[in-house]
Every structure is written in C-alpha cells, then in structure tokens.
Amino acid sequence: RPKHLPLVVMPEDAELQKVMRAPLATEEDAFTRAAAVRILREREAAASRLRQAGCSIVTAPSSGLGAAAINAYLQIKERGLL
C-alpha cells in the first residue's frame, strides 16, 4: 500500500457550463461555445494524464470543493488505498 496518493481537486467552471447550455443565437455565441468546448476537452485531457500518473481527481463546484475533497479522502481510506 502506498504511503501517499495524490488527490487533485479541480473546481468546476460555472461560466463554462452556462456557455455550454446557452442557445446559439449569433456567430459570437458559436465562437464562444467552440472556445468552451476546447477548454473542457483540454481540462479532461489533463485530468486523464493525471489519472494515468496515479492521481485521484475530484471535480466539484467551487463552493463544495472542501467537502468533495474530504469525501474523496474518506472513500480512498475506506477502500484501503492508503
């Protein structure tokens, strides 16, 4: 059993989620959506690389990051990973 297990806490971006749900009414909306998609893809790619390197990832709204990190830690301990 490892002594350390990296836990990466990533805040969800409410603005990106809002952009993804918004209707595309103008060309600018389409460009904004395309930028949001790219950011989300890059974020997921980074999370994937971290997972492959052995990190646990927690994603939560910024208001709930502390609780999400604590819950993830408790689950890790419960599963005997530490």
Side-chain angles (χ1 to χ4, degrees), residues 24-64:
L24 299 177
T26 67
E27 187 175 291
E28 183 178 345
D29 293 342
F31 284 117
T32 301
R33 169 84 55 88
V37 166
R38 182 173 181 174
I39 291 167
L40 290 170
R41 282 185 183 152
E42 289 175 0
R43 177 186 170 98
E44 185 51 43
S48 179
R49 286 190 301 274
L50 287 166
R51 278 189 208 93
Q52 290 172 352
C55 296
S56 291
I57 308 291
V58 173
T59 304
S62 57
S63 62

Side-chain angles (χ1 to χ4, degrees), residues 5-41:
L5 179 64
L7 177 64
V8 177
V9 182
M10 299 173 65
E12 291 176 354
D13 190 325
E15 278 300 309
L16 284 178
Q17 298 305 320
K18 184 178 171 184
V19 167
M20 295 301 292
R21 288 189 306 269
L24 299 177
T26 67
E27 187 175 291
E28 183 178 345
D29 293 342
F31 284 117
T32 301
R33 169 84 55 88
V37 166
R38 182 173 181 174
I39 291 167
L40 290 170
R41 282 185 183 152

Side-chain angles (χ1 to χ4, degrees), residues 66 75 77:
Q75 288 175 354
K77 291 294 282 182

